[in-house]
Amino acid sequence: GQQLNQSPQSMFIQEGEDVSMNCTSSSIFNTWLWYKQDPGEGPVLLIALYKAGELTSNGRLTAQFGITRKDSFLNISASIPSDVGIYFCAGPTSGTYKYIFGTGTRLKVLA
Amino acid sequence: NAGVTQTPKFQVLKTGQSMTLQCAQDMNHEYMSWYRQDPGMGLRLIHYSVGAGITDQGEVPNGYNVSRSTTEDFPLRLLSAAPSQTSVYFCASSPGKSVAFFGQGTRLTVV
């Protein structure tokens, strides 16, 4: 079946640094969603993308819908300690409303 | 302002027992879904519903049943619990056909 691969799996960064992560699929997606999950909590939707090439920001977060429709990128600028968590991408499998999730990028910020 | 409410928060079952995980939302959302989250595997879709009376299978439906008799409620039934069903279960709802708001999760252990 379709899979979403996230890269990197985990990363340590210094506070104040910019962060980039991506999500790739073997097939075309028409929607990309990005979430953050804190320990012991459910994921929280950060950004939704609906059109190829779309660039959307939410505060220090910026996400892009790849032109090929097979990838998406999330950038965090000037990271702070509360950015720690797991970031997931998600999208609907082709022709359905079944939303599948990537395996996540675990972010750790060193103060 | 409850959002998506899941009960119970924690549960221990013996192999072979059955139980129902409850999920309720007070936002009049049409779309609801159930995911399980296992370590290192992200979230996997179990079942979803695009409206009252309509349900469909996700990626890992075996061993689970759902029904959607009202817009507000989307219970997940484990028919005969197995240790492989030990996981954290998340319910989500959305105004559109997406996955926007997650509950806090139910942590299930099957012994």
Side-chain angles (χ1 to χ4, degrees):
Chain A
Q2 290 178 295
Q3 288 185 325
L4 291 179
N5 298 308
Q6 288 191 244
S7 178
Q9 286 187 332
S10 64
M11 55 195 313
F12 284 88
I13 60 167
Q14 293 284 344
E15 183 177 356
E17 286 184 346
D18 296 343
V19 176
S20 292
M21 60 189 77
N22 65 54
C23 185
T24 59
S25 170
S26 57
S27 55
I28 289 173
F29 274 55
N30 292 319
T31 299
W32 286 99
L33 306 173
W34 284 94
Y35 299 81
K36 177 178 183 253
Q37 186 178 29
D38 292 325
E41 303 288 330
V44 173
L45 182 63
L46 300 172
I47 294 177
L49 302 163
Y50 299 106
K51 195 164 62 172
E54 182 180 354
L55 191 70
T56 298
S57 293
N58 178 5
R60 293 179 295 105
L61 278 62
T62 301
Q64 184 165 22
F65 194 137
I67 291 292
T68 65
R69 293 179 173 265
K70 291 184 178 182
D71 53 15
S72 180
F73 309 89
L74 178 69
N75 296 311
I76 305 172
S77 62
S79 57
I80 59 178
S82 63
D83 290 334
V84 165
I86 305 176
Y87 292 80
F88 291 102
C89 62
T93 56
S94 178
T96 76
Y97 298 116
K98 297 182 183 181
Y99 278 77
I100 62 172
F101 279 69
T103 51
T105 292
R106 186 181 296 272
L107 180 64
K108 300 183 182 180
V109 179
L110 304 174
Chain B
N1 193 20
V4 179
T5 302
Q6 291 185 236
T7 55
K9 288 188 169 47
F10 301 93
Q11 182 70 49
V12 178
L13 285 179
K14 293 183 179 178
T15 297
Q17 285 185 317
S18 62
M19 80 159 292
T20 299
L21 307 186
Q22 301 291 345
C23 177
Q25 51 92 7
D26 60 359
M27 298 172 281
N28 201 33
H29 289 169
E30 291 295 321
Y31 189 89
M32 296 185 74
S33 51
W34 275 102
Y35 288 84
R36 61 176 288 174
Q37 185 173 29
D38 302 305
M41 296 194 72
L43 291 95
R44 292 183 292 170
L45 179 63
I46 304 171
H47 286 285
Y48 68 101
S49 169
V50 298
I54 306 169
T55 64
D56 205 348
Q57 296 182 347
E59 303 170 88
V60 288
N62 292 341
Y64 308 95
N65 273 356
V66 291
S67 60
R68 186 93 180 273
S69 56
T70 67
T71 298
E72 295 76 21
D73 300 300
F74 191 41
L76 178 72
R77 296 183 190 83
L78 279 71
L79 309 172
S80 177
S84 61
Q85 293 179 304
T86 294
S87 188
V88 181
Y89 291 85
F90 287 102
C91 178
S93 76
S94 176
K97 294 182 174 60
S98 180
V99 184
F101 301 97
F102 279 86
Q104 296 273 50
T106 294
R107 283 147 184 81
L108 176 68
T109 301
V110 182
V111 297

